[in-house]
Amino acid sequence: MLDILFFAGLVLYFVSMTGLFVSMVFHQQLIKKYSWYLFLAAAALATVYLVIRGIKAGRLPMSNQFEFACSFSWGIAMILIFMHYRLKIEWIDSLGVAMAFLILSYAALQPREITELMPALRSAWFGFHIGSAAFSYAAFMLAGAAGVRYLLSWRKNPQDPQLVKIDYMIYRLIAVGLLLLTVTILSGAIWAEEAWSSFWTWDPKEVWALITWILYAIFLHLRLGRRKSGVFAAWYAIIAVPVVLFTFVGVNTLLPGLHSYGVLIRGTML
């Protein structure tokens, strides 16, 4: 049942992504409309999947690499839906759906077994810490998507009035992501003190989370202090995405530490 829900959602993400790109290239509004509905259906399936998995596991479904990737993808989808309906932003839909699909595709490559929480993860900070990390990464990914859209629009028409709105959205997404990452690091420090009797251990995951935080803090400094925006901001948002992905995937794969829990179960506290 769970596998059917998961892969059905993955397929719908793919079909929706394909339809949105086709509609963007050929300016087909009808295809765009129905592709967006397919995306909503995929997001609904992802939500149901996470809820059922959480009920079966008896905990929040965010304890290993597979579950965190699912939550990460779901976070992208939720922010995208909020932007679409609350902010009336549609120019990011195709790239945003593509990112949700790619992260969920990565999840499909991970072990999907439901496992017990490691003792160090049994804490009231569990959902707060990991949930803020998932949405922080999601905001950074969408900032990168907005950067791509900015460069495409700028190359087509440097005087496009929409560029100002896209640039501002890059700033807002990074600001939200940095705030959530700050919450992630601070809550992780408190949790680490409870679990390992130390607020900071220079674990690879902690170090790369800090590197990511510094990278985006520099962006805000340049944006607010030196008025860096436009093409510079777009490229910065894009180039920063690989750092986020390395913090998410690369550290767990290449740099095991206190945040890793075995070969098949890799912890994702950050």
Side-chain angles (χ1 to χ4, degrees):
M1 173 64 177
L2 279 177
D3 281 349
I4 292 173
L5 281 172
F6 177 81
F7 285 105
L10 187 62
V11 169
L12 284 180
Y13 272 132
F14 176 75
V15 176
S16 171
M17 175 188 68
T18 303
L20 286 168
F21 275 113
V22 169
S23 69
M24 182 175 67
V25 173
F26 296 102
H27 306 287
Q28 295 292 324
Q29 290 301 313
L30 189 61
I31 295 177
K32 180 179 179 180
K33 176 182 177 181
Y34 286 108
S35 295
W36 177 255
Y37 289 155
L38 287 175
F39 166 69
L40 293 179
L45 286 177
T47 303
V48 172
Y49 176 83
L50 288 172
V51 169
I52 294 176
R53 187 180 178 93
I55 292 172
K56 282 194 171 187
R59 54 170 172 74
L60 290 173
M62 294 186 290
S63 72
N64 54 48
Q65 191 78 339
F66 168 76
E67 291 178 350
F68 184 82
C70 290
S71 300
F72 183 1
S73 175
W74 184 79
I76 293 174
M78 293 302 104
I79 295 175
L80 200 59
I81 291 170
F82 173 81
M83 291 173 67
H84 185 97
Y85 289 109
R86 184 68 179 86
L87 304 179
K88 307 301 180 183
I89 292 173
E90 299 183 12
W91 46 259
I92 200 174
D93 288 351
S94 56
L95 291 169
V97 173
M99 288 187 166
F101 168 73
L102 290 174
I103 298 299
L104 201 62
S105 296
Y106 168 76
L109 302 176
Q110 305 303 307
R112 295 190 299 278
E113 294 83 4
I114 295 177
T115 57
E116 292 291 328
L117 277 178
M118 299 298 292
L121 295 178
R122 295 170 188 166
S123 168
W125 293 103
F126 175 69
F128 189 68
H129 175 66
I130 302 177
S132 61
F135 275 92
S136 172
Y137 292 177
F140 291 146
M141 292 292 286
L142 287 173
V148 172
R149 185 54 192 263
Y150 183 96
L151 292 178
L152 291 174
S153 298
W154 177 79
R155 198 169 180 183
K156 185 177 180 181
N157 179 14
Q159 304 304 319
D160 187 347
Q162 191 179 42
L163 289 174
V164 176
K165 295 179 180 179
I166 299 175
D167 175 71
Y168 184 56
M169 185 50 58
I170 293 172
Y171 159 68
R172 292 175 72 181
L173 285 167
I174 288 178
V176 169
L178 185 63
L179 174 62
L180 290 172
L181 185 58
T182 303
V183 171
T184 300
I185 292 173
L186 291 177
S187 60
I190 296 171
W191 189 4
E193 200 280 329
E194 290 181 0
W196 303 315
S197 301
S198 176
F199 287 104
W200 192 265
T201 61
W202 296 104
D203 178 73
K205 199 74 167 181
E206 295 174 348
V207 171
W208 275 93
L210 180 60
I211 290 172
T212 304
W213 188 92
I214 292 172
L215 182 67
Y216 284 106
I218 289 172
F219 171 85
L220 289 187
H221 169 71
L222 293 174
R223 170 83 187 203
L224 299 175
R226 300 194 177 183
R227 307 298 180 187
K228 293 285 187 179
S229 59
V231 174
F232 171 85
W235 274 115
Y236 198 109
I238 294 168
I239 293 171
V241 165
V243 178
V244 175
L245 292 177
F246 185 81
T247 304
F248 165 48
V249 178
V251 174
N252 284 356
T253 304
L254 303 174
L255 303 171
L258 288 173
H259 287 76
S260 299
Y261 300 92
V263 177
L264 294 179
I265 308 170
R266 291 199 173 96
T268 52
M269 288 177 66
L270 282 175

